[in-house]
Amino acid sequence: MSAGTGDDDHDPDGPRAGDGPGEQKMRFLFALRSRGVTDPRVLDAMERIDRGAFVRGHFEDRAYEDTPLPIVCGQTISQPSVVGLMTQALDIGPRDTVLEVGTGSGYQAAILSLLCRRVLTVDRHRRLVVEAEALFRQLGLSNITARVADGSRGLPEQAPFDRIMVTAAAEDPPGPLLSQLKIGGIMVVPVGQSDAVQTLIRVTRMADGFRYDELRQVRFVPLVEGLGQT
Ligand code: SAH
């Protein structure tokens, strides 16, 4: 099971043997654009945050492919084009506070941090939070706070949020997250059974209720309640 993959794994624009760093980056950005990531602010953030810093070990040399990759704790770093499409769908403003559920490698949080005032990111695995925090410090991303927490409950003491991004699949949009969204706020969340293709949903909180838009098919690791062992 891979997290954050689209339904189409064919990558004709992916890196090629013999590419230098400049060509790799150009192909990476071209692949994003060809898959619908068109918001210039999102593309700029994805150009500035080096995915290579978030992928370790023997998958390092595949960091610029448009594919999800394994990280520690049995989790995955999402497919870059899915990261781009989810970020774009969140329509972030520079003064927004964003909650991310599912820190994982920290890659998505790093991109969010360039687009908003403050990012709070939570993961149920302590090891992922500790490693992501070290990377945020190293990269000088001082507006991200990472916490070990069960994100299916949100972060009540910091709520409400302008934007919420969930990067693990829930059977339904979690109630606590809906209630921690400001009026006018937006949440993007993959919804569906964990072992199947899921639907990425954008939820907008209106004064009198919620509006749900279906965006596309995706595949994410499941949102699991409670804290992890590591
Ligand atoms: N956004 C990440 C990828 C996330 S993979 C990145 O950019 O790399 C999904 C993550 O969600 C995993 O790290 C998993 O541990 C986490 N997760 C699953 N259920 C959770 C929960 N209830 N609370 C917090 N994190 C959760």
Side-chain angles (χ1 to χ4, degrees):
M1 163 82 53
S2 51
T5 180
D7 48 2
D8 163 21
D9 279 338
H10 179 58
D11 188 10
D13 310 316
R16 296 181 190 169
D19 269 4
E23 282 143 335
Q24 261 185 355
K25 187 152 247 182
M26 260 178 54
R27 283 189 200 286
F28 179 76
L29 292 168
F30 184 80
L32 293 176
R33 278 196 210 93
S34 69
R35 291 186 171 181
V37 184
T38 51
D39 184 328
R41 291 170 312 156
V42 175
L43 285 167
D44 179 60
M46 293 187 76
E47 185 170 0
R48 285 162 61 197
I49 299 294
D50 179 8
R51 190 170 185 249
F54 295 84
V55 179
R56 309 249 175 82
H58 48 274
F59 289 103
E60 240 172 74
D61 57 347
R62 300 189 59 190
Y64 307 103
E65 290 179 27
D66 190 25
T67 183
L69 293 169
I71 55 172
V72 295
C73 300
Q75 304 302 319
T76 44
I77 177 170
S78 307
Q79 182 177 350
S81 57
V82 173
V83 168
L85 291 168
M86 287 175 77
T87 308
Q88 192 165 278
L90 216 49
D91 192 22
I92 299 169
R95 290 206 294 272
D96 287 349
T97 296
V98 182
L99 171 66
E100 183 199 22
V101 175
T103 310
S105 67
Y107 179 60
Q108 171 75 77
I111 290 162
L112 293 171
S113 77
L114 297 187
L115 300 167
C116 68
R117 188 171 62 83
R118 184 160 184 234
V119 179
L120 291 136
T121 180
V122 300
D123 204 287
R124 57 190 294 277
H125 289 289
R126 178 169 303 277
R127 178 168 173 196
L128 291 172
V129 169
V130 169
E131 290 187 5
E133 271 180 322
L135 272 172
F136 300 149
R137 260 196 311 277
Q138 191 185 311
L139 298 173
L141 303 172
S142 55
N143 62 339
I144 309 177
T145 305
R147 293 255 185 94
V148 182
D150 175 359
S152 62
R153 294 156 187 261
L155 218 45
E157 66 278 14
Q158 304 282 345
F161 302 101
D162 301 290
R163 300 288 185 265
I164 300 178
M165 179 176 291
V166 186
T167 62
E171 286 191 16
D172 292 298
L177 295 182
L178 290 172
S179 67
Q180 290 172 30
L181 202 53
K182 281 186 191 168
I183 291 177
I186 299 173
M187 168 161 73
V188 173
V189 53
V191 169
Q193 298 297 320
S194 59
D195 55 352
V197 169
Q198 306 125 8
T199 305
L200 188 64
I201 309 265
R202 176 174 49 207
V203 185
T204 309
R205 184 165 196 176
M206 329 286 269
D208 56 353
F210 295 92
R211 180 181 136 179
Y212 295 85
D213 296 301
E214 292 190 4
L215 302 181
R216 56 177 274 143
Q217 302 297 298
V218 286
R219 189 174 288 177
F220 275 83
V221 294
L223 188 71
V224 179
E225 286 188 17
L227 297 185
Q229 299 300 308
T230 54

